[in-house]
Amino acid sequence: MKKQLLAKISSRKAVVGIVGLGYVGLPLMLRFSEVGYKVLGFDIDGSKVARLNKGQSYIEHIPAREVAKARKGGFEATADFSRAKEADALILCVPTPLNKYREPDLSFIIDTVESLVPHLRKGQLVSLESTTYPGTTDEELLPRIEARGLKVGKDVFLVFSPEREDPGNASFTTRTIPKVCGGVTSACQEIGLALYGAVIDKVVPVSSTRAAEMTKLLENIHRAVNIGLVNEMKIVADRMGIDIHEVIRAAATKPFGFVAYHPGPGLGGHCIPIDPFYLTWKAREYGVHTRFIELAGEVNASMPDYVVAKLAGALNQRRRSIKGSHILVLGIAYKKDVDDMRESPSVILMEKLRDLGAEVAYSDPHIPVFPRLREHTFELASVALTPQALAKYDCVLLATDHARFDYDMIRKYARLIVDSRGKYLEPAPNIVKA
Ligand SMILES: NC(=O)c1ccc[n+]([C@@H]2O[C@H](COP(=O)([O-])OP(=O)(O)OC[C@H]3O[C@@H](n4cnc5c(N)ncnc54)[C@H](O)[C@@H]3O)[C@@H](O)[C@H]2O)c1
C-alpha cells in the first residue's frame, strides 16, 4: 500500500481531497492544483460548492481567476462525501471553535470523520490540519478509522499537519510557509511528508501526531501570551504618560532576544482567542492548570472595556456622554486588510457602545454590509468615508487599521479620534490613544 501511494504522489497521479473549503482549505486546494494534482474539494455548504464550481471565490484575498484556473486544471467541488473513495489523500480543514462553556467543540471534526469513514478504502492518507489539542488524532480519528476494519499504518495512513495560514499576509504563501507533520506510525509520517513535500518548500517532521498538535498550540499560545503582555504594558505606559508604541518601536531595534507584538482593542480571529483554551481543557486531564493562558485571556478579554473607558473619558472632556453620541467605528474585521470578522473585538466594542446608548455606525472597505452573525446583529452598511461624513460623528474609533483608510483625511475632519492601534504617531488635540 505504502509503495503504491508514494508512487502516485511522486508521479502527481494522486487525487487530493480537501475537506472544508474555507480560509485554510481553499488556498491549499489552489496549491495542489497549481502543482498539477487533481483536487476534489468537499464542503457541507452547498452554496460554496456551487460558487467554486462556477469558478468564483468567496474569500476576498483569493481571486476568482485562481479558482477558475484550478477548475480548468480538473478541480471540482462536491458535497457528496461518497466521492471520498476517489481521493488518495484526504486533508481535513474544518473549524475547531469553542462551545459556550469555552471548551473545545470537536463536532466539526467528528462529523467530517463520520461522513468520510464509510467511504474510506485501502491505500489512502488522511491528514488532519484543524488546530486542536494533543491527542485528537489518535484518540478521535484513529479508532473511528480502525473500526471500519482498516489498519492505520498498513492499510491507511494518518497524520496531523497543522495549518499555518495567515490570511492577508503578502510575504508568505502556502508554498513558502514550512509545514510541520507528525504521523501515527513511521509509514504514515513518510507518506505525509511526501505529499506535503510535493507542494511545500520545507516540511518539518516531528515524532508524533501529538507533537505536531502541540507545536501549533505553542505557536498560538506564544502569540496570545505576548499580546496579553503588551496590552498590559500599554495600560501601565498610558498611566505613566508614555506612548507604548514608541517604546515598542525602540525595543524592536534590539537585534536579538526581542520580538515586537502590538497592543490593540482585544484579540480577534479564529485562532488566537480560541486555540489556547484547547490546551487549557486538555491539560486539566493531566492535573495541570495553564496559568499563563488564563491570565493572557483575562487581560486580552478586558481590552474592549479599556478602550470604551478611554473613549468615555475623551467624550467627557468635550462635555458629552456616550449616551446619545454618534460614534463611527473604523474597521470591523478582526485584523487589518482582511474581510474576516470572526471573534472581532470591533463587534464587542460596537455592542458595548450601543448598550451604553450610543448611535453606532461603522466603516470598513472590506465589509460593505454588516453580516448576519450567530450572536451579534447590526442592521448596518459601511459608511463611505468623506470629509462631510467624518465631521458628522462625535467620535471616530479606530479599531482595525486597514491600509485603505485615508488617515490624513480622518485626522483632518474627525472631531475626535480614539486610536486603539497606535496608528497616529504625532499627538494632536483631536486624537486620544486607547
Ligand atoms: N483561518 C486561519 O487563518 C487559520 C490559520 C491556521 C489554522 N486554522 C485552523 O484551520 C481550521 C479551519 O479554519 P478555517 O479558517 O479554514 O475555517 P472556515 O470556517 O473558513 O472553513 C471551514 C470550512 O469547513 C466547512 N465545513 C464545516 N463542517 C464540515 C464538514 N462536516 N464537512 C466538510 N466541510 C465542513 C465549512 O462549510 C467551511 O467552508 C481551524 O481548525 C482553524 O483553527 C485557521
Side-chain angles (χ1 to χ4, degrees):
M1 283 299 136
K2 188 177 99 175
K3 260 197 180 155
Q4 287 158 302
L5 186 49
L6 284 172
K8 276 190 183 174
I9 291 170
S10 69
S11 63
R12 313 224 159 132
K13 294 216 169 76
V15 175
V16 179
I18 310 267
V19 189
L21 299 164
Y23 283 88
V24 167
L26 206 49
L28 196 62
M29 172 287 274
L30 292 173
R31 179 64 193 144
F32 274 104
S33 182
E34 186 185 3
V35 168
Y37 288 95
K38 159 133 179 92
V39 188
L40 257 183
F42 296 87
D43 206 293
I44 49 168
D45 184 337
S47 67
K48 285 186 178 167
V49 168
R51 291 189 67 180
L52 292 174
N53 284 337
K54 282 188 209 144
Q56 298 170 357
S57 168
Y58 37 75
I59 295 180
E60 193 190 32
H61 64 271
I62 298 181
R65 63 170 187 281
E66 290 190 23
V67 179
K69 198 170 138 208
R71 282 288 285 141
K72 284 207 185 98
F75 161 67
E76 201 186 328
T78 180
D80 174 5
F81 283 68
S82 71
R83 295 192 61 191
K85 55 182 172 299
E86 294 171 34
D88 298 294
L90 287 159
I91 302 180
L92 280 47
C93 311
V94 293
T96 41
L98 294 173
N99 66 20
K100 63 177 176 179
Y101 306 106
R102 298 197 68 71
E103 291 169 343
D105 173 4
L106 284 194
S107 63
F108 294 89
I109 293 187
I110 308 287
D111 287 353
T112 304
V113 174
E114 290 187 340
S115 335
L116 293 174
V117 157
H119 313 292
L120 291 186
R121 56 160 173 86
K122 285 187 180 179
Q124 284 177 313
L125 168 75
V126 176
S127 172
L128 178 62
E129 295 213 1
S130 308
T131 308
T132 183
Y133 57 77
T136 307
T137 308
D138 55 20
E139 291 166 7
E140 301 293 341
L141 270 66
L142 185 129
R144 285 179 168 81
I145 293 171
E146 293 206 327
R148 161 120 166 78
L150 295 163
K151 181 80 189 137
V152 167
K154 194 167 145 277
D155 302 323
V156 291
F157 305 93
L158 180 59
V159 298
F160 183 83
S161 180
E163 179 48 49
R164 282 171 162 169
E165 175 70 12
D166 185 13
N169 185 335
S171 312
F172 298 97
T173 62
T174 306
R175 178 174 74 78
T176 59
I177 301 172
K179 195 110 171 75
V180 171
C181 182
V184 171
T185 67
S186 57
C188 297
Q189 160 86 304
E190 197 185 334
I191 293 173
L193 292 174
L195 182 76
Y196 286 114
V199 293
I200 286 162
D201 290 350
K202 185 174 178 189
V203 283
V204 183
V206 289
S207 63
S208 63
T209 53
R210 285 169 187 252
E213 288 159 338
M214 189 68 141
T215 303
K216 173 71 190 182
L217 290 182
L218 173 62
E219 291 165 14
N220 283 357
I221 290 165
H222 168 92
R223 281 188 69 73
V225 167
N226 279 287
I227 294 168
L229 176 67
V230 285
N231 276 333
E232 188 173 84
M233 292 289 286
K234 168 167 88 167
I235 297 169
V236 180
D238 181 66
R239 288 278 168 87
M240 294 178 168
I242 299 166
D243 180 350
I244 190 66
H245 301 282
E246 182 190 1
V247 172
I248 293 169
R249 280 194 300 278
T253 61
K254 185 178 176 187
F256 48 85
F258 181 82
V259 178
Y261 285 88
H262 300 281
L267 280 187
H270 186 327
C271 295
I272 313 296
I274 290 172
D275 303 347
F277 295 98
Y278 269 69
L279 188 67
T280 297
W281 180 84
K282 190 66 176 174
R284 274 190 222 125
E285 190 183 314
Y286 295 83
V288 182
H289 180 50
T290 56
R291 286 178 292 165
F292 269 108
I293 295 174
E294 297 284 2
L295 183 59
E298 209 178 289
V299 173
N300 290 328
S302 73
M303 293 318 289
D305 282 329
Y306 172 78
V307 173
V308 169
K310 293 293 283 186
L311 187 149
L315 281 175
N316 192 51
Q317 284 289 326
R318 287 157 179 76
R319 300 178 188 281
R320 289 204 63 90
S321 61
I322 288 181
K323 194 178 174 82
S325 284
H326 287 79
I327 299 174
L328 179 67
V329 174
L330 297 184
I332 58 169
Y334 81 85
K335 69 171 182 178
K336 69 187 284 190
D337 303 340
V338 300
D339 61 348
D340 188 347
M341 284 184 67
R342 287 177 291 181
E343 308 286 319
S344 174
S346 306
V347 180
I348 311 282
L349 286 166
M350 287 171 73
E351 262 172 3
K352 284 184 185 287
L353 294 169
R354 182 174 64 182
D355 290 350
L356 289 166
E359 294 289 333
V360 181
Y362 86 91
S363 179
D364 192 313
H366 300 273
I367 306 168
V369 176
F370 196 99
R372 275 171 208 281
L373 300 178
R374 225 179 319 140
E375 285 155 17
H376 314 276
T377 349
F378 283 91
E379 297 287 331
L380 292 173
S382 175
V383 170
L385 284 192
T386 59
Q388 297 76 4
L390 281 163
K392 268 191 356 208
Y393 293 93
D394 299 296
C395 176
V396 168
L397 167 57
L398 177 56
T400 303
D401 50 343
H402 291 308
R404 277 202 227 154
F405 287 135
D406 182 340
Y407 291 98
D408 288 338
M409 180 181 74
I410 296 166
R411 179 178 33 213
K412 200 159 163 204
Y413 294 101
R415 286 188 236 165
L416 167 64
I417 302 168
V418 173
D419 175 7
S420 73
R421 293 284 180 177
K423 190 74 193 168
Y424 289 100
L425 305 183
E426 297 299 323
N430 65 338
I431 297 174
V432 170
K433 292 203 170 168

